[in-house]
């Protein structure tokens, strides 16, 4: 299925506010409520909409620090990559893990209370990851902007 302009408007609005009612959404995209509901269901069934979530405030939750960790592995064999990926997926403080092209093999996005908490995360989890040859951490000083909305 390809997306038409109304589908794109629906996706854009839902990315702004996933809890808006179908009536409000239908007004925003100029569709009848029943037609809007059918389109949203189709977008969900076709996998364009994966889930609905609550986005939490990291400061209020107590993890205001973001640390980006570049990891280089000792090798690139499938078993090394698989072991690393399975282990890193179990670390609760890691929000994202990306296999990279470039100088590092992986880039992790980690949240922590502060530098001491990150030191704990490093000792308890990161230093024990399998196959790691080198690790470099960079603390974000300030988030200039952040979005979860994809361009549609």
């Amino acid at each position: 299925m390809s997306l038409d302009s109304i589908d794109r408007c629906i996706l854009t609005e839902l990315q702004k506010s996933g809890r808006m009612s179908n009536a409000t959404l239908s007004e925003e995209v100029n569709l009848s409520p029943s037609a809007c509901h059918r389109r949203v269901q189709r977008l969900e069934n076709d996998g364009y909409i994966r889930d609905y979530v609550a986005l939490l405030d990291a400061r209020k939750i107590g993890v205001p620090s973001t640390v980006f960790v570049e990891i280089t592995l000792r090798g690139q064999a499938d078993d090394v990559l698989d072991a690393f990926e399975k282990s890193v997926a179990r670390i609760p403080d890691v929000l994202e893990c990306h296999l990279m092209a470039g100088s590092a093999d992986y880039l992790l996005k980690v949240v922590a209370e502060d530098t001491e908490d990150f030191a704990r995360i490093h000792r308890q989890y990161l230093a024990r990851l399998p196959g790691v040859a080198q690790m470099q951490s960079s603390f974000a000083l300030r988030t200039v902007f952040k979005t979860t909305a994809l361009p549609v």
Side-chain angles (χ1 to χ4, degrees):
M1 172 188 117
S2 63
L3 299 175
D4 64 16
S5 62
I6 295 173
D7 292 333
R8 292 178 191 282
C9 286
I10 289 170
L11 293 173
T12 298
E13 292 302 319
L14 286 175
Q15 285 187 105
K16 291 178 192 172
S17 179
R19 290 187 64 179
M20 77 170 54
S21 69
N22 184 63
T24 303
L25 179 60
S26 67
E27 287 177 21
E28 292 291 326
V29 299
N30 296 317
L31 272 183
S32 71
S34 59
C36 185
H37 182 69
R38 283 192 302 273
R39 281 187 182 248
V40 170
Q41 282 185 319
R42 190 185 77 234
L43 291 166
E44 291 170 349
N45 292 337
D46 290 349
Y48 287 96
I49 299 172
R50 285 191 347 209
D51 214 340
Y52 296 90
V53 299
L55 299 175
L56 307 182
D57 185 311
R59 288 191 184 285
K60 291 189 181 205
I61 297 298
V63 287
S65 298
T66 301
V67 186
F68 295 95
V69 182
E70 294 179 89
I71 294 180
T72 304
L73 299 181
R74 290 190 190 100
Q76 294 287 316
D78 284 344
D79 59 330
V80 174
L81 298 175
D82 290 342
F84 174 84
E85 291 174 9
K86 285 178 183 157
S87 295
V88 78
R90 291 191 293 267
I91 303 173
D93 309 284
V94 175
L95 300 184
E96 298 176 20
C97 174
H98 302 273
L99 178 62
M100 304 295 290
S103 59
D105 294 314
Y106 287 93
L107 178 65
L108 309 182
K109 180 179 178 182
V110 180
V111 291
E113 293 174 20
D114 50 29
T115 55
E116 287 180 28
D117 188 40
F118 180 72
R120 175 197 59 81
I121 294 164
H122 187 279
R123 276 191 317 275
Q124 188 174 352
Y125 298 109
L126 301 178
R128 298 178 183 184
L129 287 169
V132 174
Q134 184 178 340
M135 195 177 316
Q136 180 173 326
S137 303
S138 300
F139 278 77
L141 298 177
R142 177 171 58 97
T143 300
V144 177
F145 80 92
K146 180 178 177 178
T147 184
T148 60
L150 297 173
V152 287

